[in-house]
Amino acid sequence: MNQGPPPAAEPISKLIQELNKLPGIGPKSAQRLAYYLLRSPEEQARLLAEAILSVKQEITLCSTCFNFTDSDLCPICRSEERDRSKICIVEQPQDILALEHTGVYKGLYHVLHGAISPTEGVGANDVRIRELTSRLQDGSVTEVILGTNPNLEGEQTAMYLNHLISPLGIRVTRLARGLPFGTELEYADDATLTSAIEGRQEF
Ligand SMILES: [Zn+2]
């Protein structure tokens, strides 16, 4: 069996190697994508390359909720239609996409960019918790919904946040019903997420 690099010209091998670093892209898929791009019009390859570069160059974090945005505030924080008395705390920006897709939640968000995980050395100061507590100071938020993933790290984070937020006199609820333990929010379907938001329970 040939275990070495594919017998391709250097630029092709390099492209395969880079594509192979992407999540969910194994060596076979990387090869297929590379040869597909090689055969496609130059314009298509250019658009792809530009799209990749522009997310890196133009996207920053929202100064309030830490969602990805191309301006100081993300569209959700900017919107006058959102209920500013509720904040749903999620681990990753893509969790917002999943929850927004259901259309049932009208409050604001806060992205932690991770979850507390003592086994992996991730503590409360390594995620955006301090920024969250400063958002809760002015008394305008009356409910915090813990939307961390229903797995070990997500539960540990939810527990930590509950201890932190409950004493402030803010209602703390948890997305729960219908979300099986061990899953991640971004992969949950709309119906499950909708019932998880609507059926949220006191923590
Ligand atoms: Zn925002």
Side-chain angles (χ1 to χ4, degrees), residues 138-154:
D138 69 1
S140 60
V141 175
T142 55
E143 181 182 355
V144 164
I145 300 151
L146 303 175
T148 51
N149 288 325
N151 55 29
L152 188 61
E153 290 77 23

Side-chain angles (χ1 to χ4, degrees), residues 7 9 14 30 41 55 57 95 106 119 130 142 153 179 182 200:
K14 190 150 195 288
V55 291
Q57 289 163 354
D95 299 333
K106 296 293 175 211
T119 51
R130 216 169 340 182
T142 55
E153 290 77 23
L179 286 174
R200 64 184 185 270

Side-chain angles (χ1 to χ4, degrees), residues 62-67 73-78 109:
C62 171
S63 62
T64 299
C65 75
F66 300 94
N67 187 9
L73 287 178
C74 75
I76 295 172
C77 287
R78 267 202 318 266
Y109 291 94

